[in-house]
């Protein structure tokens, strides 16, 4: 008569309960990987942040001068800018691009302050 030891009677992975546990872990990992690969999670917001109405790097000076709120912000950080003799020649340029011509007046600090206040303005439609 040939008797099997209880340990030999089990499958290579262990008991049935252990196999079920391993399978559950495997399928949970697959589901998690699929969720991460899709790029969305339940807690993740899909709405993009609203874009500021203006930017010192992207908005032409002409557009800033034509909007009274933007003009006031620029004049706050660069006093007298909108009333300057040559401002009309720079209407197609950005504040960042003209900084090189007047670095003592158009400082990084002034541009950062202007951009921070532009972010508070309502977006243009």
């Amino acid at each position: 008569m040939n008797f099997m030891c209880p340990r030999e009677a089990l499958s290579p992975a262990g008991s049935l309960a252990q196999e079920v546990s391993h399978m559950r872990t495997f399928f949970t990992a697959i589901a998690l990987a699929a969720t991460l690969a899709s790029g969305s999670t339940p807690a993740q917001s899909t709405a993009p942040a609203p874009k500021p109405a203006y930017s010192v790097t992207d908005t032409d000076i002409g557009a800033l001068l034509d909007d009274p709120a933007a003009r006031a912000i620029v004049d706050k950080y660069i006093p007298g800018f909108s009333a300057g003799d040559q401002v009309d020649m720079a209407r197609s340029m950005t504040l960042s691009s003209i900084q090189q011509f007047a670095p003592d007046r158009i400082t990084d600090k002034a541009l950062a302050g202007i951009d921070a206040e532009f972010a508070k303005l309502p977006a243009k439609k």
Side-chain angles (χ1 to χ4, degrees), residues 23-69:
M23 292 300 287
R24 190 174 293 136
T25 302
F26 174 75
F27 285 117
T28 301
I30 295 294
L32 178 62
T35 300
L36 293 175
S38 72
S40 66
T41 60
Q44 183 180 8
S45 173
T46 57
K51 185 177 178 186
Y54 300 115
S55 163
V56 297
T57 58
D58 298 328
T59 308
D60 292 344
I61 291 171
L64 300 176
L65 295 176
D66 293 342
D67 182 330

Side-chain angles (χ1 to χ4, degrees), residues 69 75 106 121:
D75 281 337
I106 306 172
L121 291 177

